[in-house]
Amino acid sequence: MSAVQFWPGRYTDRHGNEAVVFESDGRESIRTTIRGVRFEGDSMDDLGALGGEPPEAPFTFFDGALCACLLEWEVPMPVTVEGQGVRTAALDCALWLGAPAGPGKGLEYERLFTILRLDGQEHLTTEDHDTFEDALNDLQRWLLPAGVRLRACVACAWSDYSPAGNGLMAGLACFRDAKDRYRQVDGKHGPTGIFAVWQELTEFVQETWLCGEFEHRAGDTGYRGSFPARPLS
């Protein structure tokens, strides 16, 4: 993996807003400082205060994580453009986190929107999504021009999700150190199922990350199949 990335962004809640910088290691660690308080989490919807109990107002928390706020950030997003090679686009992300809905009820809402900016054009996901998997699938399938392909872990030949499901981000398993075994995966169970190779995963990564062993995903490979995922019939 490459060095830590710094994503410029903004934090907004009912008390105001301020520019922030998110630090990502590409795996399961995101850090930032908001109003002088240091936060860390394995996902943007799981940012908790470092070093003990969450601070009191002006913040709202649910299960120790920030909520009732808007988080915005920009991620560098390489793309492969047919006839031009690799280019660098920008992925602008906006995550709305609602207030606690009540005991045992989670948040009122959690909505993710993304915009890919390339060559002066904006490609906006028009619906909110629950995960980066869904947002980037829709971006690739419906919005990007022909010949433009995302170049990130979510689109890599060596990545897959657990059949148990995944959260907003950072639940993508990388099998770059077990390529020969992963090439055989064609489902969930059995000797060629994802469970048979799961213990050989290299690490968990964020969907928007990229390493030097990237290869574009082709066909219905692995447990999760193609990228972008084929629409349900």
Side-chain angles (χ1 to χ4, degrees), residues 11-17 35 57-60 67-70 99:
Y11 173 84
T12 303
D13 63 13
R14 62 190 180 91
H15 299 286
N17 67 85
R35 296 173 185 153
F59 296 106
T60 304
C67 64
C69 62
L70 167 64

Side-chain angles (χ1 to χ4, degrees), residues 53-120:
E53 292 297 319
E56 298 180 356
F59 296 106
T60 304
F61 294 92
F62 177 76
D63 282 349
L66 282 171
C67 64
C69 62
L70 167 64
L71 300 174
E72 300 172 272
W73 67 101
E74 181 181 285
V75 180
M77 175 62 69
V79 296
T80 302
V81 180
E82 187 175 2
Q84 300 181 34
V86 178
R87 304 278 302 283
T88 300
L91 184 70
D92 288 345
C93 309
L95 177 64
W96 292 86
L97 297 171
K105 295 184 178 180
L107 300 182
E108 294 175 338
Y109 55 82
E110 181 172 324
R111 300 169 182 163
L112 173 68
F113 295 89
T114 59
I115 304 174
L116 187 84
R117 304 181 190 276
L118 177 65
D119 293 335

Side-chain angles (χ1 to χ4, degrees), residues 174-197:
C174 172
F175 291 92
R176 66 179 182 273
D177 293 332
K179 294 176 183 176
D180 290 341
R181 288 292 311 280
Y182 183 70
R183 284 189 183 97
Q184 302 173 32
V185 173
D186 59 4
K188 184 186 298 186
H189 299 289
T192 58
I194 190 68
F195 286 130
V197 71

Side-chain angles (χ1 to χ4, degrees), residues 134-205:
D134 292 338
L136 297 178
N137 262 293
D138 283 356
L139 185 64
Q140 181 68 76
R141 183 192 301 122
W142 305 116
L143 301 175
L144 294 186
V148 177
R149 302 175 70 186
L150 297 178
R151 190 176 178 86
C153 288
V154 72
C156 183
W158 315 120
S159 63
D160 216 323
Y161 288 104
S162 167
N166 53 286
L168 174 74
M169 62 189 297
L172 186 60
C174 172
F175 291 92
R176 66 179 182 273
D177 293 332
K179 294 176 183 176
D180 290 341
R181 288 292 311 280
Y182 183 70
R183 284 189 183 97
Q184 302 173 32
V185 173
D186 59 4
K188 184 186 298 186
H189 299 289
T192 58
I194 190 68
F195 286 130
V197 71
W198 192 253
Q199 296 303 317
E200 298 185 37
L201 68 88
T202 303
E203 61 183 343
F204 288 100
V205 294

